[in-house]
Amino acid sequence: MKALVYDGVETLTFRDVPDAVAADGEHLIKVEAVGICGSDMHAYLGHDARRPAPLILGHEAAGTIVNGDRAGTRVTINPLVTCMACPACLAGRENLCPDRQIMSMQPREGAFAQYISAPWRNLVEVPANVPLNKASLAEPLAVSWHAVRLALGALHASMDRTALVVGGGAIGLAAALALRAMGVDDITVAEPNAARAAFLADRCGLRVVATAEGAFSIVIDAVGYAATRAVASTHAAPGGVIAHVGLGEDAGGIDVRRLTLQEITFIGTYTYSAQDFRDTAEAIFDGRLGPLDWTDQRPLAQGAAAFRDLRAGAVAAPTIILNPWA
């Protein structure tokens, strides 16, 4: 089969690899749409020791089952494969499973390929009227759905629900859409890239600013650098909540003194539970997350160029979706 393989720092090769096979008790899926995630970019830049080369990256995928009694079923894929037996899994917090595996991280190859294997419990059936390129957005949308759910759960009931999203990439846009779907109407996105900011305002109908001003009861840091954490620390209202989603940089930026004196809740959020993923998929299917028409579509064969464009900041769309069969 064909795959886009991470072969070293800033090196991706579209080439033949051994055919994927279904693991015991799993389904083989023909991948028909797969998005480029920020974590794929971190690996591409050599910043993720958990993803050593050579490795097939990619975990935001949807496609069609090709084996067994469910052959022909269109599905979107939850890439977190967990033990289902530990206290975290039994509590419905599968994302905290100590034995979790993630597609695109050893020992599981990713979805920048024509086929991938996954257990049935990780698959959500996609209705016939929903395009698979939209269904593939369930994974990044679920990351933000989870973060917004936690932030709203932590917010004191007395506070007005105003939100600042720091970063207008896929996770930031997904956070804005999740906030809107959960009843938050006052949403501002801080995005310094002028082309992307214009795209978000024109295509997605969002209020976008280059630099945040004022105070917000909810701040979603969808980037995770010291500079964006500093923005979050500055603009969180007293008694407010910061949900930190991005993994751009490990340290710096948090004003611990201000968080302490102003009783600002800081929540680190990681991926999503299985229920979050299913809820997000349903929100895609029933239209609560909007038309989802803001992606850049390219063949997987052009994946290396897509990464270079993202690296150069030359992509206005919040995410690029690759087609392994184009």
Side-chain angles (χ1 to χ4, degrees), residues 51-92:
R51 291 179 165 95
L55 182 67
I56 301 173
L57 301 173
H59 57 269
E60 302 176 356
T64 304
I65 296 174
V66 297
N67 70 322
D69 58 0
R70 293 187 172 97
T73 304
R74 303 164 75 247
V75 295
T76 186
I77 304 170
N78 177 345
L80 271 65
V81 182
T82 59
C83 75
M84 303 303 293
C86 70
C89 286
L90 293 175

Side-chain angles (χ1 to χ4, degrees), residues 185-245:
D185 298 319
D186 190 340
I187 304 166
T188 300
V189 178
E191 173 51 62
N193 182 303
R196 177 161 287 174
F199 186 98
L200 293 172
D202 297 341
R203 182 72 70 86
C204 306
L206 294 171
R207 181 193 307 132
V208 187
V209 298
T211 304
E213 296 181 358
F216 303 83
S217 62
I218 299 169
V219 181
I220 309 292
D221 183 349
V223 183
Y225 280 89
T228 58
R229 285 189 288 271
V231 170
S233 291
T234 299
H235 294 285
V241 178
I242 298 171
H244 187 270
V245 191

Side-chain angles (χ1 to χ4, degrees), residues 4 49 91 94 103 105 113 120 125 137 148 152 157 172 182 206-207 219 230 269-270 281 323:
L4 184 68
E94 297 90 348
M103 297 169 194
M105 191 182 297
W120 174 250
E125 187 169 352
L137 294 170
V148 168
L152 289 173
M182 295 186 198
L206 294 171
R207 181 193 307 132
V219 181
T269 75
Y270 179 72
N323 182 346

Side-chain angles (χ1 to χ4, degrees), residues 21-42:
V21 296
D24 288 346
E26 297 190 3
H27 291 283
L28 188 65
I29 300 154
K30 178 183 178 182
V31 178
E32 297 175 68
V34 54
I36 299 176
C37 177
S39 64
D40 296 319
M41 180 59 69
H42 296 158

